[in-house]
Amino acid sequence: MTVRPGQKGTAGVEEVPRPDPHDGALLVRGRAIGVCGTDREIADGAYGTPPSGEEQLIIGHESLGEVLEAPVGSGFAPGDLIVGIVRRPDPVPCPACAAGEWDMCRTDGFGERGIVRLHGYGSEQWRVEPDFAVPILPRLGELGVLLEPASVLAKAWDQVDQISRRAFFQRGRALVTGAGPIGLMACLLGAQRGYEVHAVDLAQAGRKRDLAEDLGVRYHAGDAAGIDVDVDVIIECTGLGSVAHSAAQRLASGGIMCLTGIMNLDAALDLDATTMNRNMVLHNQVLFGTVNAGRRHWEQAAEALATADPGWLTGLITRRVPLASWTEALDRQPEDIKVVVDLTA
Ligand SMILES: [Zn+2]
């Protein structure tokens, strides 16, 4: 699965060299790749960087593969299902990367497989370092491809948990804006924590609503401003400033709001910074942003998937395309939630 970053319309399938042993001691047979908005941005020429000295990038950062070769003592063995972690530390490194917290990198010197400066996992074989591989329970099978999006939400919720320890806090209600793959994963992790989860999305009916309601989530179709309850936590997953602004009106005193999405589609927002300042100060609120995931979040995500209902997780994967026609995964279809490329087909 290749693309020339910066050049729209270059996504396709090409023969590439065998994976370089320098990319990691584990040799892996690629099984599946999940496709997300970042991949669409790269394919549109709007994002992504090839490795130094190359024009082409092997895309694919939501991975699942089966170990073919593993050195003795690596902790892995042939046949193991694994997912490759996306980010690698800034080689310089920055102080956060030096402390092993490369998801909190202080520079833009990090690499990300399939996105920035490093080839991704969208090939029939790939390599990964044992320290950047996460084991997947055999019974999860194909559902392991959901680990990367789950890791991003595991970090978001882990940060909420840590911030909530600053003072008195009760796990009451949580609101998730957007019921796509990221929003539904946010709902799952919130429900697992015991929150009364509410979700808001524009879709009146359909699979997104069904999946949210299957978790016991209270689903609201329409505008976040129309929600009739106040909430202790908001996980914003649309990337739309107007949605974040509406949702923030429902944040209770002492509440925590997490931004996970970025979009460039929103019209300029008329934000009253004075009112926002006043509301946040008088109500002890926290607003924070989060990106990527550290090693412990990948492990938390693996635990969350292992605990979830496999039937529900299967419902998130709405379309599968074979490697030869993987670019069809980039075209959004109305009922899509997570589209997966089958690297074995
Ligand atoms: Zn760094």
Side-chain angles (χ1 to χ4, degrees):
M1 296 167 57
T2 61
V3 60
R4 280 169 174 66
Q7 298 177 50
K8 188 178 168 69
T10 55
V13 180
E14 286 176 79
E15 290 289 336
V16 295
R18 289 193 174 278
D20 188 326
H22 284 110
D23 291 345
L26 302 182
L27 179 65
V28 180
R29 186 170 75 100
R31 293 256 307 241
I33 291 289
V35 171
C36 77
T38 300
D39 299 307
R40 290 190 185 92
E41 272 191 77
I42 297 170
D44 281 345
Y47 197 60
T49 311
S52 173
E54 298 182 45
E55 280 189 10
Q56 173 201 63
L57 175 72
I58 300 174
I59 199 171
H61 60 276
E62 299 183 6
S63 64
L64 176 68
E66 183 185 328
V67 174
L68 292 173
E69 292 173 14
V72 174
S74 66
F76 294 93
D80 286 353
L81 283 183
I82 62 165
V83 167
I85 286 176
V86 178
R87 192 173 282 194
R88 296 294 179 279
D90 174 356
V92 170
C94 84
C97 286
E101 296 200 16
W102 25 262
D103 61 305
M104 301 298 286
C105 184
R106 301 292 180 90
T107 70
D108 288 329
F110 57 79
E112 288 180 340
R113 294 206 48 175
I115 306 172
V116 179
R117 289 185 280 272
L118 297 170
H119 285 309
Y121 299 113
S123 50
E124 291 165 297
Q125 289 191 4
W126 41 267
R127 281 187 175 271
V128 68
E129 313 88 320
D131 285 349
F132 289 89
V134 185
I136 293 292
L137 290 176
R139 69 171 169 80
L140 280 175
E142 180 200 26
L143 300 174
V145 79
L146 300 170
L147 189 68
E148 194 279 341
S151 74
V152 171
L153 278 308
K155 176 174 174 181
W157 275 109
D158 178 64
Q159 305 273 301
V160 168
D161 292 345
Q162 299 210 31
I163 293 167
S164 73
R165 284 184 209 112
R166 70 192 167 134
F168 170 81
F169 187 84
Q170 277 183 314
R171 289 184 177 182
R173 292 193 188 105
L175 170 63
V176 173
T177 55
I182 292 288
L184 286 167
M185 206 56 90
C187 288
L188 172 69
L189 270 58
Q192 287 182 340
R193 278 167 167 75
Y195 283 87
E196 177 190 309
V197 182
H198 294 248
V200 62
D201 192 280
L202 290 177
Q204 291 288 335
R207 197 188 299 223
K208 292 196 286 188
R209 180 174 194 143
D210 295 343
L211 284 165
E213 290 180 343
D214 286 348
L215 289 172
V217 167
R218 300 197 194 175
Y219 185 93
H220 307 260
D223 193 308
I227 291 174
D228 53 355
V229 293
D230 285 347
V231 298
D232 306 290
V233 174
I234 298 171
I235 310 286
E236 204 299 299
C237 302
T238 70
L240 294 166
S242 54
V243 174
H245 186 254
S246 291
Q249 312 306 311
R250 298 268 61 93
L251 191 63
S253 264
I256 301 165
M257 177 161 178
C258 170
L259 305 179
T260 69
I262 308 173
M263 258 196 211
N264 306 314
L265 313 170
D266 221 2
L269 185 64
D270 183 14
L271 184 68
D272 180 349
T274 306
T275 303
M276 185 179 143
N277 177 317
R278 184 181 174 83
N279 286 340
M280 287 190 71
V281 170
L282 293 179
H283 299 114
N284 289 297
Q285 292 170 338
V286 177
L287 171 66
F288 77 99
T290 180
V291 70
N292 199 258
R295 173 90 211 182
R296 75 170 182 278
H297 307 122
W298 287 84
E299 286 160 3
Q300 290 164 0
E303 185 66 35
L305 292 190
T307 312
D309 171 7
W312 186 86
L313 293 173
T314 302
L316 293 176
I317 301 176
T318 47
R319 194 156 59 95
R320 293 167 184 81
V321 297
L323 172 59
S325 51
W326 79 267
T327 55
E328 289 173 13
L330 298 168
D331 303 324
R332 280 186 198 276
Q333 293 181 8
E335 280 288 289
D336 279 349
I337 296 177
K338 176 56 67 187
V339 182
V340 168
V341 179
D342 183 348
L343 295 175
T344 67

